[in-house]
Amino acid sequence: MTNSEQERWSRVKGRLRSTVGEDVYTSWFARMDLEAVQDESVHLSVPTRFLKSWIQAHYAERVLSCWQAEMPEVHRIDLSVRTAMRCATPAKEAPVAVEARRAERGDAKPADTRAPVMTPVAASHDALGGSPLDPRLTFASFVVGRANTLAHAAARQVADGRRGDPVMFNPLYIHAGVGLGKTHLLQAVTWAGNAGGERKVLYLTAEKFMYGFVAALKSQTALAFKEALRGIDVLVIDDLQFLQGKSTQAEFCHTLNALIDAGRQVVIAADRPPSDLESLDDRVRSRLAGGLVVEMATLGEDLRLGILKSRVAAARAHHASFDVPEPVLDYLARSITHNGRDLEGAINRLLAHSKLNNQPVTLDMAEREVRDLVRPQEPKRIKIEDIQRVVARQYNVSRSDLLSSRRTANVVRPRQVAMYLAKTLTLRSLPEIGRRFGGRDHTTVLHAVRKIEALVGKDTTLNDEVEALKRQLQD
Ligand code: ADP
Ligand code: MG
């Protein structure tokens, strides 16, 4: 395998990691290897059949679109199970094509029950025990600032409610980008809500909801699963954007309705607003949007400083000699702008470094240790609507022209440019982009992307226009 293939693979993995989140990534993709890239297909391998069928059933499209973001020509992902001695012998099992088609989702069932202990198979025995909670993620360690005041207040309200209290807003729906504190806040609600022993608060990741349901169906205890779910006071679901598969969604919809109608509280977090959960059906989306929808913004510098201080304080509970001087904290808060995870990572590194080398933390050391977490500029989450607006203005057409079926040259080119920007500046998949451009097919989007890619290489005017648009959108 060439170096450039390896590099590309790392970038694809990076994309996957940021779309699915650290936890999902670690559960399902950490042991996925690149075997070969050939023309339009990419050959990947995983160590167990269980992983293979799960990835095929739930992530085929996502894996494909992450590859396409790096290599638009890729059309097919072959996934195989690698044998222990794959250096000596090629993988035994013939690779099975993972086609990014809806029909395939949901029906593949995990086949290998001998999967290693850490996979969710083990967890399935306890489908309703909830997902594991991190004892550090409580209200006490949650720092409140401008970015999250409302979300925090609403979460507190839910956590402090008592059985039988009227529900003020239902569901509470919190959305924010990666690492901005969604999981922290949801787990805080769970800890606090369960503390009195009066109410039962159940925290489930969408993955766990799906897996619990699939497993329950398999063992034919679906009824028990539903009953148990309906017997709780507050249902907390994290990372709803991962809820996939028709039957799971139908079940989610029933559960949601049953709980809300019975006056039970539902709390949900996702990385986007309900209107952008494109795979969910309209009724579910409007039900989700019908409660209180709160966005948590990117962490401001004050909030970042607060989080760093709370992390240092937590570390000092176990390592009394650990200290991070004020100027170092200021430096970190100013330069690590991306997300809460990186802030936590920075403190962990400083702690490790100072422990291992038995040295105090200095600015010099901090600069060296966290260099890779410092990003020159905070990548902004760009929305497809913004792209359409900016492109429409630039070319003096209306946004509805871009979404219309008109095919005159003065709209066709701007539309293609807008689709191209949507593909390159957002993580949205081709089918999603097609839908957002007046319900077009993904092949139309792909055609537009390729067309503009080819043109910017030759046409300097167009190239300048596209660059200017990118700058406008990224500032
Ligand atoms: P998300 O679920 O939104 O991706 P997390 O809740 O996992 O983000 O947060 C990532 C990290 O940042 C965690 O270590 C979390 O404790 C920390 N963090 C984020 N926001 C806050 C906050 N307001 N106060 C304290 N810690 C925070
Ligand atoms: Mg999370």
Side-chain angles (χ1 to χ4, degrees), residues 289-358:
L292 177 63
V293 177
V294 194
E295 178 169 14
M296 291 204 283
T298 42
L299 308 167
E301 194 175 320
D302 285 357
L303 196 49
R304 297 199 293 267
L305 190 60
I307 294 175
L308 288 165
K309 286 183 175 161
S310 110
R311 288 286 161 189
V312 173
R316 282 171 61 95
H318 297 105
H319 308 277
S321 63
F322 179 60
D323 191 27
V324 182
E326 200 72 30
V328 175
L329 290 173
D330 285 338
Y331 162 75
L332 295 175
R334 246 182 302 112
S335 45
I336 303 177
T337 55
H338 193 57
N339 72 44
R341 256 167 237 177
D342 289 349
L343 294 173
E344 186 184 6
I347 297 298
N348 288 342
R349 283 193 207 173
L350 296 185
L351 176 62
H353 191 85
S354 79
K355 283 271 143 194
L356 289 175
N357 302 313
N358 205 8

Side-chain angles (χ1 to χ4, degrees), residues 336-395:
I336 303 177
T337 55
H338 193 57
N339 72 44
R341 256 167 237 177
D342 289 349
L343 294 173
E344 186 184 6
I347 297 298
N348 288 342
R349 283 193 207 173
L350 296 185
L351 176 62
H353 191 85
S354 79
K355 283 271 143 194
L356 289 175
N357 302 313
N358 205 8
Q359 277 170 1
V361 174
T362 62
L363 197 53
D364 252 11
M365 179 230 257
E367 279 174 356
R368 254 193 339 264
E369 286 300 305
V370 306
R371 197 176 299 149
D372 60 308
L373 299 177
V374 175
R375 302 180 195 222
Q377 249 208 325
E378 187 171 347
K380 201 174 114 184
R381 261 218 294 178
I382 296 172
K383 301 200 174 91
I384 290 185
E385 294 84 81
D386 294 335
I387 293 175
Q388 292 169 340
R389 196 171 33 75
V390 169
V391 170
R393 194 172 55 205
Q394 163 88 17
Y395 290 101

Side-chain angles (χ1 to χ4, degrees), residues 183 238-239 341:
T183 296
D238 201 355
D239 285 327
R341 256 167 237 177

Side-chain angles (χ1 to χ4, degrees), residues 28 50 110-126 211 215:
W28 304 110
F50 172 73
D112 188 355
T113 45
R114 290 164 302 139
V117 187
M118 285 310 291
T119 71
V121 162
S124 76
H125 298 308
D126 184 21
Y211 193 75

Side-chain angles (χ1 to χ4, degrees), residues 152-172:
H152 173 263
R156 226 11 305 178
Q157 165 93 29
V158 168
D160 295 345
R162 314 205 42 181
R163 175 169 277 171
D165 277 358
V167 175
M168 292 183 55
F169 35 74
N170 215 0
L172 167 60

